[in-house]
Amino acid sequence: MDQMKKAYELLKEWKGDAYVHGLGVLDQVGTIARGFGKRALVVSNTTYMKPVADRVVSYLKEAGVELAGGVIAPDAKPNAPREDVYRLESYILHTKPDCIIAIGGGSSIDACKAANALACLGSKITPEIDHYFGTDVVTNALKETGVSLIPLIAVQTSASSGAHLTKYSNITDPVVGQKKLIVDNALNPTVAMFDYETTVTMPLSVTIDGALDAIAHTFEVFCGAKEGTYEKTKEIAECAINLVAEYSEVLISDPKNVKAREAIGLATDLGGYAIMIGGTSGAHLTSFSLVDIVSHGTACGIMNPYYAV
């Protein structure tokens, strides 16, 4: 079977209608946001991602959705530093949106996930982010307080971590140069979107970093698969790694090749699927200590051979 067709089938099987992805799907964001209310907090880089952010704002306007606060909130810096989480929490508390639209890659989306939890739970549990690191802390706090998180629409623009599809939020403590992790199904975006055409303007280095992360996610999960997940993780890993192997070289030769961009985007999405089935391993663990040296996917690409051979 064609690997791209296979990838679409696997992702449909996993996410169903909660994931809007493909080529030319960004114009659906307004209708989706309108389903949650009339005011959306848009979080985005306003330099190189400004064309995408402007398109999102125009689609919101067409659907009768206004910008909460009247401005686009600047997104998080690379690796989602904790101070950006607190800043975005402040935007949420001040603007009181009906939904949050996080536009960007893993750092932006992860920061919005954590900021959403802090904004909704901070006054009832604690405003300190350290409390929420770990597994299911947010879910337990929501049950305890009866609070609900604000609907989050994750608009992925970079073939990278799969943050728009997962329960993870990686936040960096820049003082110690260490990433810390929130693992919680409550953080799954309400709706995920990925128009693969938006990655055409992304730097090639970012996309290749994402491709390495796709290999790392699917390979590490497959290597640790148990009997009940072995066949599915094998299927996901084979598809993702084949896509990366086939289309990375094409992309390096022609960075604006839309089909290659679509293929790498699908591969990184499958990486997100993999890490919702099983856990990553040594390469990812070590990569968190390299956060101030190289980007995440590259760090995993460097480390995986040491664990695999």
Side-chain angles (χ1 to χ4, degrees):
M1 178 185 288
D2 174 79
Q3 293 300 309
M4 290 178 66
K5 181 180 179 182
K6 178 67 174 177
Y8 274 108
E9 290 181 357
L10 285 167
L11 292 166
K12 180 69 173 180
E13 164 193 283
W14 175 35
K15 283 292 184 179
D17 295 333
Y19 187 28
V20 180
H21 65 127
L23 300 177
V25 301
L26 188 62
D27 60 358
Q28 297 180 43
V29 67
T31 303
I32 292 169
R34 187 64 179 84
F36 299 118
K38 295 183 178 181
R39 302 176 72 254
L41 175 63
V42 176
V43 179
S44 176
N45 175 291
T46 53
T47 53
Y48 64 87
M49 285 309 305
K50 190 175 187 300
V52 176
D54 287 345
R55 286 175 61 194
V56 169
V57 171
S58 71
Y59 296 139
L60 292 174
K61 185 176 180 180
E62 289 174 7
V65 179
E66 66 180 63
L67 275 181
V71 296
I72 296 173
D75 70 346
K77 293 184 285 295
N79 296 308
R82 61 193 300 156
E83 63 263 28
D84 282 338
V85 174
Y86 286 123
R87 176 176 55 78
L88 290 170
E89 177 202 16
S90 179
Y91 269 94
I92 296 168
L93 292 172
H94 284 296
T95 62
K96 297 179 172 57
D98 295 316
C99 68
I100 302 164
I101 302 177
I103 305 171
S107 296
S108 177
I109 294 169
D110 279 358
C112 286
K113 290 178 182 178
N116 192 12
L118 277 182
C120 295
L121 291 168
S123 65
K124 297 182 179 295
I125 301 295
T126 174
E128 296 293 337
I129 192 171
D130 293 86
H131 173 80
Y132 302 96
F133 291 125
T135 303
D136 293 333
V137 179
V138 176
T139 291
N140 292 334
L142 293 173
K143 290 178 180 177
E144 178 184 336
T145 61
V147 168
S148 297
L149 297 183
I150 298 167
L152 173 63
I153 302 171
V155 180
Q156 180 64 265
T157 61
S158 174
S160 55
S161 66
H164 56 306
L165 299 172
T166 69
K167 61 185 177 182
Y168 303 104
S169 176
N170 280 295
I171 306 301
T172 299
D173 184 341
V175 176
V176 297
Q178 186 69 50
K179 278 192 174 184
K180 297 182 179 180
L181 190 61
I182 302 174
V183 183
D184 207 302
N185 281 316
L187 296 189
N188 275 312
T190 314
V191 178
M193 299 188 70
F194 195 176
D195 187 333
Y196 302 122
E197 288 182 342
T198 62
T199 68
V200 171
T201 59
M202 294 299 292
L204 180 60
S205 60
V206 173
T207 304
I208 295 303
D209 190 73
L212 290 169
D213 206 16
I215 293 173
H217 282 156
T218 56
F219 175 71
E220 290 175 42
V221 171
F222 170 67
C223 287
K226 296 179 172 59
E227 183 178 356
T229 59
Y230 179 85
E231 290 300 328
K232 180 56 66 179
T233 57
K234 177 184 177 183
E235 187 179 18
I236 293 169
E238 285 181 342
C239 186
I241 294 170
N242 280 332
L243 285 170
V244 171
E246 180 176 355
Y247 287 98
S248 290
E249 187 174 356
V250 176
L251 197 57
I252 290 169
S253 300
D254 180 11
K256 294 192 179 298
N257 187 298
V258 174
K259 186 174 182 180
R261 291 282 183 175
E262 180 183 13
I264 300 301
L266 287 166
T268 57
D269 283 350
L270 290 173
Y273 188 1
I275 60 176
M276 291 294 280
I277 295 175
T280 53
S281 54
H284 260 76
L285 182 63
T286 312
S287 77
F288 293 157
S289 296
L290 301 177
V291 66
D292 56 343
I293 301 173
V294 294
S295 54
H296 172 68
T298 301
C300 292
I302 291 169
M303 296 311 303
N304 251 315
Y306 291 95
Y307 290 93
V309 176

